[in-house]
């Protein structure tokens, strides 16, 4: 595990036994398993050396003086665990305003997130203009003659962004000290959110450089943000990563929803580990423009929310064609409005056939989830996948990031950074290694050391795509499957290289209280959202973390 070439202990692909991770021989398949989660270990660093609660809140404390503990407690039943249509209805009924909703989340973040016995370190920055922006949404809403469509929209909804997503009025750091002054324009995905009248509440902590940096660090750690902790078990249950702060903040009701990013497991893992819903779209459905990259081949942004309904509403707002993203496409299957809750009401699992991995049937929660689907009319086919490996997966990430990060610096980063390459970041970190890289930077060393001809690189990508696609579609065609059922991010690597969507939904809690998710992998976001919604409504497994009520 100390070698750069073996940077993650395997989580997935063939399943798990007695809650222990299964190890298979192919090293590169281990690498594909994910940029997401590792065995739990002691933390070298807990609180950020670069952030303080006092500093984070100095611009907003005065604006929150008219919102007190009594207000907060009165509003809890109206806001905690509520979905977007319910919140919008409260606004319609005069029980809430967008300003009050925003202040509630701000008060809650300030109360719980940092420098106290329940701290989670999930939020890395707060939008200094957020209260003013919320007031403007209230004013705009008052001018609208018809607010019916707002019921299933992000209008006035406070959203957190993973801190590798460029935002105009907050630095975008990827959790790295080298980028602490990375002031940028909005990423394409942020312009989509704003055009849908969402409120950008702030930035969420993450595994530094989206977990492709240190190689031997706990998930959820970044030098800027400190160690993100899981609200279901601070210091005892892993957060998953790399979208750790996004998932934790949603789980703890610090926002309506959040945006994460995924290369291989980085939305699915933290979402399942924190009992929330996370969706990884097809590569190219959601623009990557202005998101700090690992791999232009596999990266994508995606929504994280407390329920499938909100997940669909967020996805409906953020997807769209970006002419400056080489993998972006105009969806033939979707039109704006196609993938929100109102379209799920007539959906059914009758006549649907799902594939269940035989190796996962030792997991009692998985078996119960399958039983729920059967009760809803689904047919389940148990199968053993063919032994397709993912050769050179790590090299794909190395070679992509070696090219993609300099392109990000040149096109989207702040010119004042003076950074042009991975080597530049490494040299900066070495100037104060204890604070800037306490767990080392072995994966960055691997990026620098890796080289390939253009033909080799093309062949690596081609073979991975073939193997990932074959892994699913050989079985899908044999049994005429509508989708596959997995756990957490166990098959994230294969879904990544096949470039197909996946969604994880809470399916319960292990003996020690660790959340687990049922993960549905399929061809279409619209379809897997419908399946996820129907399972969620039948099972209702999410329970909010008890210490954060």
């Amino acid at each position: 595990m100390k070698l750069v070439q073996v940077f993650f202990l395997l989580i997935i692909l063939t399943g798990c036994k007695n809650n222990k991770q299964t190890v298979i021989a192919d090293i590169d398949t281990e690498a594909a398993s994910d940029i997401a989660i590792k065995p739990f270990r002691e933390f070298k660093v807990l609180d950020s050396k670069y952030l303080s609660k006092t500093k984070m809140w100095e611009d907003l404390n005065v604006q929150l003086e008219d919102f007190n503990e009594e207000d907060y407690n009165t509003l809890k039943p109206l806001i905690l665990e509520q979905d977007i249509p319910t919140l919008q209805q409260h606004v319609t009924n005069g029980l809430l305003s967008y300003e009050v909703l925003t202040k509630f989340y701000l008060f809650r973040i300030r109360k719980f997130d940092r420098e106290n016995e329940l701290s989670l370190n999930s939020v890395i920055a707060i939008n200094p203009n957020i209260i003013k922006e919320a007031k403007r949404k209230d004013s705009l809403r008052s001018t609208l003659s018809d607010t019916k469509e707002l019921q299933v929209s992000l209008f006035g909804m406070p959203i957190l962004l993973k801190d590798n997503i460029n935002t105009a009025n907050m630095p975008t750091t990827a959790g790295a000290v080298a980028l602490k002054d990375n002031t940028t324009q909005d990423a394409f995905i942020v312009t989509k959110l704003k055009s849908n009248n969402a409120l950008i509440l702030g930035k969420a902590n993450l595994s530094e450089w989206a977990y492709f940096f240190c190689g031997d660090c706990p998930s959820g750690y970044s030098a800027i943000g400190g160690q993100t902790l899981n609200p279901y078990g601070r210091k005892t249950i892993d957060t998953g990563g790399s979208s750790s702060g996004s998932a934790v903040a949603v789980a703890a009701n610090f926002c309506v929803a959040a945006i994460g990013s995924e290369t291989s497991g980085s939305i699915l893992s933290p979402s399942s580990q924190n009992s929330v819903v996370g969706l990884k779209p097809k590569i190219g459905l959601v623009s990557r423009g202005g998101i700090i990259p690992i791999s232009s081949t596999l990266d994508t942004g995606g929504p994280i929310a407390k329920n499938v309904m909100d997940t669909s509403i967020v996805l409906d707002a953020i997807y769209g064609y970006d002419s400056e993203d080489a993998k972006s496409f105009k969806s033939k299957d979707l039109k704006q409005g196609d993938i929100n809750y109102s379209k799920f009401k007539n959906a059914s699992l009758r006549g649907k056939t799902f594939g269940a991995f035989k190796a996962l049937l030792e997991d009692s929660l998985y078996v119960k989830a399958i039983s729920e689907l059967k009760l809803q009319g689904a047919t389940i086919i148990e199968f053993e996948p063919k032994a397709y490996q993912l050769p050179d997966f790590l090299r794909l990430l190395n070679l992509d990031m070696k090219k993609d990060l300099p392109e990000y610096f040149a096109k989207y980063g702040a010119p004042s950074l003076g950074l042009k390459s991975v080597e530049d970041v490494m040299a900066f970190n070495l100037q104060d290694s204890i604070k800037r890289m306490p767990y080392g930077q072995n994966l960055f060393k691997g990026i620098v050391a890796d080289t390939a001809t253009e033909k080799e690189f093309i062949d690596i990508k081609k073979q991975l795509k073939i193997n990932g696609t074959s892994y699913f579609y050989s079985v899908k065609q044999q049994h005429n499957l509508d989708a596959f059922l997995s756990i957490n991010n166990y098959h994230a690597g294969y879904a990544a290289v096949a470039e197909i969507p996946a969604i994880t939904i809470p399916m319960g809690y292990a003996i020690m209280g660790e959340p687990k998710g049922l993960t549905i992998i399929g061809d279409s976001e619209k379809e897997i959202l419908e399946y996820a919604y129907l399972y969620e409504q039948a099972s209702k497994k999410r329970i909010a973390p008890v210490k954060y009520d």
Side-chain angles (χ1 to χ4, degrees):
M1 288 300 295
K2 297 298 183 183
L3 298 175
V4 174
Q5 295 297 319
V6 191
F7 72 101
F8 291 113
L9 183 66
L10 177 68
I11 299 219
I12 56 174
L13 309 178
T14 57
C16 62
K17 187 173 184 179
N18 298 327
N19 293 325
K20 294 180 181 178
Q21 296 168 347
T22 303
V23 178
I24 57 180
D26 184 81
I27 286 176
D28 289 299
T29 303
E30 290 189 13
S33 304
D34 81 351
I35 314 173
I37 186 173
K38 295 212 291 264
F40 203 77
R41 80 277 314 279
E42 293 297 319
F43 303 123
K44 289 183 180 180
V45 180
L46 190 61
D47 293 321
S48 170
K49 308 297 183 186
Y50 296 91
L51 286 182
S52 72
K53 187 173 180 179
T54 300
K55 183 69 174 175
M56 283 186 69
W57 292 97
E58 62 183 2
D59 292 333
L60 284 165
N61 278 333
V62 173
Q63 298 178 61
L64 284 171
E65 285 179 350
D66 62 349
F67 191 95
N68 58 36
E69 189 80 24
E70 183 179 354
D71 297 324
Y72 169 73
N73 288 323
T74 299
L75 289 166
K76 282 197 294 184
L78 294 176
I79 298 174
L80 292 183
E81 292 296 296
Q82 301 302 320
D83 55 46
I84 289 171
T86 300
L87 294 173
Q88 295 285 16
Q89 189 61 48
H90 288 337
V91 176
T92 298
N93 294 342
L95 299 175
L96 282 179
S97 67
Y98 300 126
E99 178 189 353
V100 168
L101 179 64
T102 298
K103 286 182 175 178
F104 176 90
Y105 287 125
L106 291 172
F107 188 91
R108 188 168 171 80
I109 293 167
R110 188 178 63 180
K111 179 182 177 74
F112 285 118
D113 197 49
R114 287 190 181 270
E115 299 176 19
N116 64 79
E117 62 182 14
L118 293 175
S119 62
L120 300 172
N121 296 335
S122 66
V123 178
I124 210 168
I126 298 293
N127 177 359
N129 303 316
I130 186 63
I131 294 175
K132 294 176 183 176
E133 292 171 9
K135 289 179 180 179
R136 285 199 287 270
K137 297 305 177 193
D138 285 320
S139 297
L140 178 58
R141 193 182 200 281
S142 69
T143 67
L144 301 176
S145 56
D146 184 2
T147 60
K148 184 178 179 181
E149 289 187 1
L150 300 187
Q151 296 303 111
V152 287
S153 81
L154 289 184
F155 193 104
M157 296 293 103
I159 306 295
L160 284 170
L161 306 174
K162 183 177 180 179
D163 195 26
N164 62 347
I165 301 172
N166 282 3
T167 321
N169 60 346
M170 290 171 279
T172 300
T173 72
V177 181
L179 300 187
K180 67 181 180 64
D181 297 317
N182 185 30
T183 54
T184 68
Q185 298 300 308
D186 286 335
F188 186 92
I189 194 173
V190 179
T191 66
K192 291 285 291 180
L193 286 166
K194 289 182 176 179
S195 70
N196 281 276
N197 286 295
L199 292 167
I200 307 304
L201 181 63
K203 308 295 280 290
N205 201 3
L206 69 165
S207 305
E208 189 166 338
W209 290 105
Y211 224 170
F212 202 63
F213 169 59
C214 41
D216 193 29
C217 48
S219 46
Y221 170 78
S222 75
I224 290 290
Q227 180 63 54
T228 313
L229 300 171
N230 191 315
Y232 292 91
R234 292 178 73 257
K235 306 181 186 178
T236 60
I237 297 176
D238 197 276
T239 62
S242 63
S243 303
S244 314
S246 298
V248 168
V250 171
N253 282 273
F254 290 165
C255 56
V256 169
I259 306 297
S261 69
E262 174 152 330
T263 306
S264 176
S266 287
I267 289 174
L268 299 178
S269 166
S271 296
S272 55
Q273 287 288 124
N274 291 278
S275 200
V276 293
V277 178
L279 186 142
K280 186 216 78 151
K282 288 189 195 83
I283 311 302
L285 182 70
V286 174
S287 168
R288 293 88 53 80
I291 300 178
I292 297 172
I294 292 177
S295 168
S296 56
T297 305
L298 303 181
D299 288 350
T300 182
I304 297 174
K306 291 182 287 295
N307 55 72
V308 176
M309 186 190 311
D310 291 356
T311 302
S312 70
I313 291 170
V314 176
L315 181 64
D316 194 57
I318 64 175
Y319 85 84
Y321 177 68
D322 177 5
S323 62
E324 297 191 17
D325 181 343
K327 298 202 80 165
S328 184
F329 62 88
K330 296 179 180 178
S331 176
K332 296 178 181 178
D333 302 324
L334 295 175
K335 294 179 181 178
Q336 239 73 35
D338 269 0
I339 48 177
N340 67 43
Y341 156 70
S342 61
K343 304 293 182 180
F344 299 159
K345 292 181 179 178
N346 298 319
S348 172
L349 293 180
R350 297 196 179 280
K352 304 301 180 185
T353 304
F354 300 133
F357 293 86
K358 285 185 178 180
L360 302 184
L361 293 172
E362 296 180 14
D363 188 301
S364 62
L365 295 177
Y366 184 67
V367 172
K368 288 178 182 177
I370 287 172
S371 296
E372 291 280 4
L373 293 168
K374 287 180 178 178
L375 288 173
Q376 299 302 306
T379 299
I380 305 297
I381 302 294
E382 299 173 8
F383 74 97
E384 293 179 353
K386 294 183 179 179
Y388 290 99
Q389 301 298 336
L390 301 180
D392 292 318
F393 185 93
L394 177 59
R395 295 198 66 208
L396 168 64
L397 305 189
N398 284 342
L399 296 167
D400 259 344
M401 194 168 186
K402 195 170 193 174
K403 168 182 64 70
D404 296 338
L405 188 58
E407 289 179 359
Y408 168 87
F409 286 147
K411 187 173 182 179
Y412 297 108
S416 60
L417 294 175
L419 300 172
K420 294 183 179 180
S421 65
V422 173
E423 291 93 329
D424 289 346
V425 177
M426 292 177 67
F428 175 86
N429 288 336
L430 287 170
Q431 294 171 16
D432 189 352
S433 59
I434 292 175
K435 286 186 177 181
R436 297 175 184 176
M437 44 172 278
Y439 296 98
Q441 50 185 353
N442 278 346
L443 293 180
F444 268 24
K445 290 178 183 177
I447 294 169
V448 172
D450 207 344
T451 59
T453 65
E454 184 176 353
K455 182 180 183 305
E456 284 179 303
F457 191 27
I458 291 171
D459 288 345
I460 287 170
K461 289 191 280 188
K462 182 179 179 181
Q463 191 61 58
L464 284 168
K465 181 70 178 288
I466 289 170
N467 287 14
T469 303
S470 299
Y471 183 82
F472 291 110
Y473 285 93
S474 59
V475 179
K476 177 181 170 64
Q477 291 172 356
Q478 180 182 352
H479 298 290
N480 195 27
L481 301 179
D482 291 290
F484 294 84
L485 306 176
S486 183
I487 298 173
N488 293 11
N489 58 319
Y490 286 12
H491 297 87
Y494 287 111
V497 295
E499 301 186 19
I500 56 177
I503 186 170
T504 191
I505 321 100
M507 71 171 184
Y509 304 84
I511 293 173
M512 299 304 292
E514 182 174 4
K516 284 191 175 183
L518 176 68
T519 298
I520 303 173
I521 303 167
D523 293 324
S524 153
E525 288 82 4
K526 183 179 179 181
E527 290 175 357
I528 63 173
L529 278 162
E530 287 181 356
Y531 306 152
Y533 176 78
L534 292 167
Y535 168 72
E536 175 194 61
Q537 294 303 300
S539 61
K540 295 191 180 295
K541 292 297 185 182
R542 172 171 160 79
I543 301 171
V546 294
K547 294 182 179 180
Y548 299 87
D549 58 9

